[in-house]
Amino acid sequence: MRVLVIEDEPQIRRLLQEILEESGYSVDTAAEGTEGLSKATIWPYDAVILDLLLPKMDGWDLLEQLRQTHKTPVLILSARDALSDRVLGLDLGADDYLVKPFERVELLARLRALIRRSAGQTQTLIPLGDLTVDLRGRCVKRGETSLELTAREFALLEYLVLHRGRVVGRTELYDHLLDESDNGMSNSLEVHISNLRKKLSDNLIETRRGQGYVIPE
């Protein structure tokens, strides 16, 4: 999953990037509002974490403009804790609002919930035949046995599981699994798909020639 962090404070921006990358997300960042809006409208992010007090364009205006064209889930992360700020943020189209300072586990839980809901999923444990995909623990089990996947393999499986029943093209996978500086999967998507089949099941992921990949319902 790919997340955009729009935050002007360098220390907080780096902290958020570290937290998210350690949790398996691909992360892009922006240090001011106009850059943030530009990226948020160019790339199909799975979620945006948005500060409000930004240079060049504040978070309110950014959110209002973004909502004219995009439904990307937005989590406002701000030091502004007044009720009027929270209400305004939600009314302008934010999907959630978290006040700084924040707890890492709460931030990640809220982010998971936003991404799940936007994909039409309600649970963190998703059954898949004799497998269980644990979105919170970022692992796959067969019965009580954990199956070893690399971070990239799990990210690929997670995206296909959240969009189960829909054929997902290669470009869409690249857009949602790689950040703007990453080309590490450009030549190895087929390798990761092959590894998932070997580790999980030959029949788990179907290839639709010329279209992409799908995990059938």
Side-chain angles (χ1 to χ4, degrees), residues 112-127 135 160-164 217:
R112 285 195 300 271
L114 287 184
I115 293 173
R116 272 202 322 272
R117 287 201 297 269
S118 70
Q121 294 284 348
T122 57
Q123 299 176 313
T124 57
L125 295 176
I126 300 178
L135 301 180
L160 291 173
V161 165
L162 285 177
H163 299 86
R164 188 176 181 180
E217 295 278 9

Side-chain angles (χ1 to χ4, degrees), residues 37-133:
L37 180 61
S38 175
K39 289 186 176 182
T41 52
I42 290 174
W43 299 106
Y45 291 102
D46 295 289
V48 173
I49 296 177
L50 175 65
D51 189 18
L52 291 176
L53 301 179
L54 297 166
K56 297 189 179 180
M57 175 187 291
D58 65 35
W60 312 117
D61 288 341
L62 188 158
L63 183 58
E64 195 167 22
Q65 292 192 41
L66 179 66
R67 280 294 176 254
Q68 294 177 17
T69 54
H70 287 67
K71 297 179 180 178
T72 312
V74 173
L75 168 64
I76 290 178
L77 182 62
S78 173
R80 297 180 67 111
D81 61 354
L83 175 61
S84 57
D85 291 322
R86 300 198 300 271
V87 170
L88 179 58
L90 295 170
D91 281 346
L92 285 174
D95 299 278
D96 201 356
Y97 195 115
L98 183 61
V99 175
K100 300 173 184 172
F102 62 91
E103 294 291 339
R104 172 189 175 119
V105 292
E106 183 179 9
L107 172 71
L108 292 174
R110 288 173 182 259
L111 194 58
R112 285 195 300 271
L114 287 184
I115 293 173
R116 272 202 322 272
R117 287 201 297 269
S118 70
Q121 294 284 348
T122 57
Q123 299 176 313
T124 57
L125 295 176
I126 300 178
L128 198 62
D130 63 344
L131 305 172
T132 300
V133 180

Side-chain angles (χ1 to χ4, degrees), residues 1-6 16-17 20-21 24-30 39 44-50 72-73 75 107-108 111-112 115 175-180:
M1 297 299 166
R2 185 175 179 182
V3 176
L4 173 63
V5 174
I6 308 175
L16 287 168
Q17 185 169 10
L20 295 172
E21 288 180 344
Y25 294 96
S26 295
V27 182
D28 294 339
T29 62
K39 289 186 176 182
Y45 291 102
D46 295 289
V48 173
I49 296 177
L50 175 65
T72 312
L75 168 64
L107 172 71
L108 292 174
L111 194 58
R112 285 195 300 271
I115 293 173
D175 284 346
H176 286 271
L177 300 181
L178 303 181
D179 62 48
E180 59 190 349

Side-chain angles (χ1 to χ4, degrees), residues 153-188:
E153 288 165 359
F154 185 87
L156 176 56
L157 177 67
E158 178 184 31
Y159 194 84
L160 291 173
V161 165
L162 285 177
H163 299 86
R164 188 176 181 180
R166 179 168 71 82
V167 178
V168 180
R170 293 169 59 91
T171 300
E172 181 176 342
L173 288 171
Y174 294 147
D175 284 346
H176 286 271
L177 300 181
L178 303 181
D179 62 48
E180 59 190 349
S181 63
D182 188 356
N183 61 3
M185 202 170 69
S186 58
N187 296 316
S188 59

